[in-house]
Amino acid sequence: MKITYLGHAAFKLVSPQGLVIYIDPFLKNNPKTPAAMKEVDKADLILVTHGHGDHLGDTLEIAQKTNAPVVAMAELAGYLTRKGLKNTVRMNMGGSYSTKGIRVTMVNALHSSSVTEGDQVIYTGSSVGFVVRFENGFTVYHAGDTAAFSDMKIIGDLYAPHLALLPIGSHFTMDPKEAAYACKLIQPKYVVPMHYGTWPLLTGTTEEFARYLKDQPGIKLIIMNPGTTIE
Ligand code: NI
Ligand code: MN
C-alpha cells in the first residue's frame, strides 16, 4: 500500500486493491501542498477529523466531484449534508464503518471542532482521530489534532496500529515531547509526524521529535516531505 503526505494533516492512502482514501484534505489553501497535488480526480473515501478549516479543507468540493462518501462525526456529517452532500457516513467515537475490506474506526481526540461562517460559529461535534485497517491487515492511526491523552494506550491495545500519524507542531496540538510520550502509549512500528511548520505558530520540529524518540528504538521515525510517498 502507498501513503502520500500532502502537507499539514492531509494524507492520501492507496489500499492494496487500489482504493483511494483522503484524510483531512486541506489542499487548495494549504501552503505545504505541492501545486500538482491540489486537484483531486479520484477518491473512494474521505475521512475528516474535525470541522476546522485546515482539516475540513476541500472536502465538499472533492466529495461533490468524486461522489466519495465522507466519514465524519455525526454533527459534522450533518453540517455537510446541509451543504448538499448526499453521501456522508455519520459516526461517533468507538464506532466502525466497513467498506470493501477496509475498516475505519472513529476514536477520540483531545481538541475542539467547529466551522466558522462569517460571524457564526457552527457546532460540529467532537474532534476525532481515525484508525484505518486495510484489507491486508496493515493498520494506520491518524490522530487528528490532539493533545496527548492516556486513552491512546487503549487505541494501541485495541487496534495495534502499525503506523501512527501524529501532530508535533504545538500551539493547537501536542509538541514533539508529548508526541514521543504518545508513542509510548500507542506502540506503533512506524511514526510519521504531521501538523508542524505550516505556519510560524507551529514551532515543533522533526529534529526535536527525533531526540525525544531516542529512548524508543523499536519505533521507526519516518519524516515525510510534502508530496512524497512511502510504500
Ligand atoms: Ni483543529
Ligand atoms: Mn489543525
Side-chain angles (χ1 to χ4, degrees):
M1 63 168 301
K2 289 183 192 161
I3 295 159
T4 303
Y5 185 37
L6 300 168
H8 200 54
F11 287 85
K12 177 187 177 184
L13 291 75
V14 182
S15 85
Q17 61 177 317
L19 289 174
V20 179
I21 300 173
Y22 279 87
I23 307 180
D24 286 353
F26 164 58
L27 309 175
K28 288 254 162 79
N29 296 324
N30 184 338
K32 295 287 180 183
T33 307
M37 296 183 172
K38 287 185 184 277
E39 281 293 329
V40 172
D41 295 316
K42 182 187 190 297
D44 297 298
L45 199 61
I46 303 168
L47 315 181
V48 186
T49 60
H50 63 296
H52 294 159
D54 57 321
H55 298 260
L56 185 59
D58 313 330
T59 297
L60 262 174
E61 192 188 319
I62 297 167
Q64 263 148 0
K65 187 173 174 186
T66 62
N67 205 34
V70 178
V71 181
M73 170 54 72
E75 291 84 354
L76 177 56
Y79 165 82
L80 292 170
T81 305
R82 293 195 299 279
K83 289 288 162 187
L85 272 199
K86 301 265 182 299
N87 210 355
T88 60
V89 180
R90 305 164 75 98
M91 288 183 68
N92 217 311
M93 290 176 273
S96 293
Y97 165 73
S98 294
T99 178
K100 298 168 183 163
I102 291 170
R103 192 183 71 178
V104 177
T105 302
M106 183 176 278
V107 296
N108 45 327
L110 218 52
H111 193 69
S112 63
S113 177
S114 62
V115 172
T116 304
E117 287 181 355
D119 59 359
Q120 295 279 99
V121 178
I122 300 162
Y123 172 69
T124 49
S126 300
S127 197
V128 301
F130 288 105
V131 176
V132 185
R133 195 187 68 198
F134 288 88
E135 55 269 43
N136 60 357
F138 191 78
T139 302
V140 179
Y141 168 42
H142 186 298
D145 278 358
T146 189
F149 57 96
S150 55
D151 287 0
M152 284 174 166
K153 167 91 167 63
I154 298 179
I155 294 169
D157 287 348
L158 280 177
Y159 314 112
H162 301 91
L163 166 66
L165 312 173
L166 301 181
I168 64 160
S170 190
H171 200 88
F172 298 110
T173 70
M174 304 191 277
D175 69 8
K177 183 180 183 182
E178 290 148 356
Y181 183 86
C183 284
K184 286 190 178 147
L185 303 176
I186 304 160
Q187 290 290 309
K189 265 197 173 67
Y190 310 98
V191 62
V192 170
M194 63 172 179
H195 211 277
Y196 64 92
T198 319
W199 299 286
L201 215 51
L202 306 183
T203 53
T205 65
T206 55
E207 291 80 12
E208 266 178 283
F209 190 39
R211 259 202 321 278
Y212 282 114
L213 273 176
K214 273 214 175 94
D215 63 343
Q216 299 180 72
I219 299 177
K220 188 172 181 325
L221 169 63
I222 303 174
I223 295 164
M224 295 182 75
N225 289 318
T228 59
T229 299
I230 52 172
E231 299 219 16

